[in-house]
Amino acid sequence: MTKVLPSLLSVDFLNLKDELVKLEEAGVDGLHFDVMDGQFVPNISIGIPILDAVRQQSKLPIDVHLMIENPEQYIELFADHGADLISVHLEATAHIHRAIEQIKNKGKKAGVVINPGTPVSQILPIINTVDYVLIMTVNPGFGGQSFIEDCVDKVLELNTLKNEKQLTFDIEVDGGINAETAEVCVKNGATMLVTGSYFFKQDDYQAVTQKLKG
Ligand code: DX5
Ligand code: ZN
């Protein structure tokens, strides 16, 4: 079953509490939480105080996407403040095994993320150790960007590898996901869909969640 994770980057922060209730009622599978540091990506987003507020209000799994330099320095902090899944960019650290280990040692699900320009072959050395792989379908930093079609080939390549090796990790996609791009991604092996601007534009969160699940 495909999992749907709305990206809180596009939520109405003035109504965060009500929105979190609505998301839980809509049957989404988790909340995607985008952390940007103005270094790894050219934008700054949300951090610990907002995570605390979300954690206090919602029982949904929180999927923290770290778009930051030196992720190793902050993994434990995000784990201690209620993250259930944490992903780090391969491009952001010279020590990806260490970062993944840190996440697992905190008892959280560990993910590795690759940018559109990074080939799937680069994650081969850690493919056996991760709970999920996030294939970015836009260059990270902003919500509302257009889906990069070429990334679909990477989803397929990763899924083929996963099947060959009989592995069970999830394949997550993030960036420009709407009903059409979601369908293409799922057909090619995606099992987790992150959706921000498209999702929060809808009036009926339950209907869009069902639609995305296919
Ligand atoms: C992009 C973020 C995404 C973003 C997706 O840097 O990682 O999670 O919120 O937003 P949409 O769905 O609008 O592309
Ligand atoms: Zn994200």
Side-chain angles (χ1 to χ4, degrees), residues 32 34 65 67 174 194:
H32 185 78
D34 286 304
H65 175 192
M67 287 164 275
D174 180 10
V194 175

Side-chain angles (χ1 to χ4, degrees), residues 5 24 52 65-66 70 76 79 82 102 104-105 109-110 122 127 142 144 148 155 194-195 206 212:
L5 299 100
E24 216 156 306
D52 286 342
H65 175 192
L66 293 178
N70 299 319
E76 275 147 29
Q102 270 182 292
K104 291 187 148 186
N105 288 342
K109 293 231 188 285
Q122 289 204 14
I127 210 77
F142 304 91
I148 301 173
V155 175
V194 175
T195 168
Q206 189 168 5
L212 288 166

Side-chain angles (χ1 to χ4, degrees), residues 62-121:
I62 302 176
D63 172 30
V64 171
H65 175 192
L66 293 178
M67 287 164 275
I68 61 174
E69 298 285 357
N70 299 319
E72 295 96 327
Q73 214 178 317
Y74 299 97
I75 284 167
E76 275 147 29
L77 187 67
F78 282 95
D80 289 341
H81 284 262
D84 300 289
L85 302 88
I86 301 177
S87 63
V88 290
H89 272 262
L90 183 73
E91 304 89 356
T93 174
H95 310 289
I96 192 68
H97 281 97
R98 183 180 294 153
I100 297 294
E101 274 309 299
Q102 270 182 292
I103 300 168
K104 291 187 148 186
N105 288 342
K106 293 298 277 184
K108 311 297 179 184
K109 293 231 188 285
V112 61
V113 195
I114 51 172
N115 282 331
T118 303
V120 167
S121 58

Side-chain angles (χ1 to χ4, degrees), residues 110-166:
V112 61
V113 195
I114 51 172
N115 282 331
T118 303
V120 167
S121 58
Q122 289 204 14
I123 50 172
L124 272 176
I126 48 156
I127 210 77
N128 291 309
T129 64
V130 295
D131 296 300
Y132 63 112
V133 176
L134 168 49
I135 302 236
M136 289 306 298
T137 43
V138 299
N139 286 290
F142 304 91
Q145 302 182 83
S146 301
F147 183 80
I148 301 173
E149 295 284 344
D150 289 345
C151 297
V152 174
D153 293 345
K154 289 167 66 179
V155 175
L156 179 61
E157 185 186 347
L158 181 62
N159 194 43
T160 306
L161 207 80
K162 174 180 160 179
N163 293 334
E164 273 169 18
K165 293 184 178 284
Q166 295 185 313

Side-chain angles (χ1 to χ4, degrees), residues 13 16 33 35 45-57 77-78 81:
F13 283 102
L16 184 57
F33 193 93
V35 181
S45 61
I46 46 179
I48 297 297
I50 306 285
L51 181 59
D52 286 342
V54 173
R55 181 71 296 163
Q56 199 185 318
Q57 174 59 40
L77 187 67
F78 282 95
H81 284 262

